[in-house]
Amino acid sequence: MFTCPKCNGNQFVINREVTYIYSYKLEPNDEDIEKAESRLNEYPYLFYNREILDSKDYITCSMCDAKYPFSFGTDPTESKMTILRKAIRSDHTENPQFLG
């Protein structure tokens, strides 16, 4: 297991900071246009692309907040990490449900 060289703690969090550009196409068909016209300020769109602009990975010691370099890499098979439990995003959920 890992030990923090600064405080000898053994509680860590992997952090990934990512900046994306999401693109959506405004290519409605006739049926979509009719539905949108019946509702004000609604526009039909299709998800088009998600592009990563920047990405930074690091490990933070939970005890002293020291940060250490880490990289998941661009190829998922490069990572030697194993997710023990997956979670559904819970920022707007009172009782998050866990998967896995």
Side-chain angles (χ1 to χ4, degrees):
M1 195 65 192
F2 302 109
T3 302
C4 176
K6 188 174 177 182
C7 73
N8 291 322
N10 62 1
Q11 302 291 314
F12 297 93
V13 175
I14 296 174
N15 298 280
R16 169 165 259 194
E17 297 178 16
V18 184
T19 304
Y20 293 101
I21 289 184
Y22 285 86
S23 301
Y24 304 91
K25 283 189 176 183
L26 294 173
E27 292 185 353
N29 61 37
D30 291 338
E31 184 180 319
D32 292 333
I33 291 171
E34 287 176 20
K35 288 179 185 176
E37 286 175 348
S38 67
R39 295 177 243 153
L40 296 176
N41 299 322
E42 288 189 16
Y43 303 98
Y45 63 87
L46 300 171
F47 173 76
Y48 177 64
N49 191 24
R50 181 178 75 172
E51 178 184 350
I52 295 178
L53 294 181
D54 190 26
S55 175
K56 181 171 85 173
D57 304 328
Y58 55 92
I59 294 176
T60 304
C61 174
S62 298
M63 306 295 283
C64 69
D65 292 327
K67 293 182 181 180
Y68 301 99
F70 175 81
S71 178
F72 279 108
T74 55
D75 181 358
T77 61
E78 290 177 4
S79 177
K80 302 298 182 208
M81 305 297 289
T82 301
I83 296 174
L84 298 178
R85 181 184 282 185
K86 299 177 195 174
I88 295 174
R89 284 188 52 171
S90 60
D91 44 352
H92 299 292
T93 305
E94 290 181 22
N95 297 312
Q97 305 251 334
F98 295 97
L99 306 173

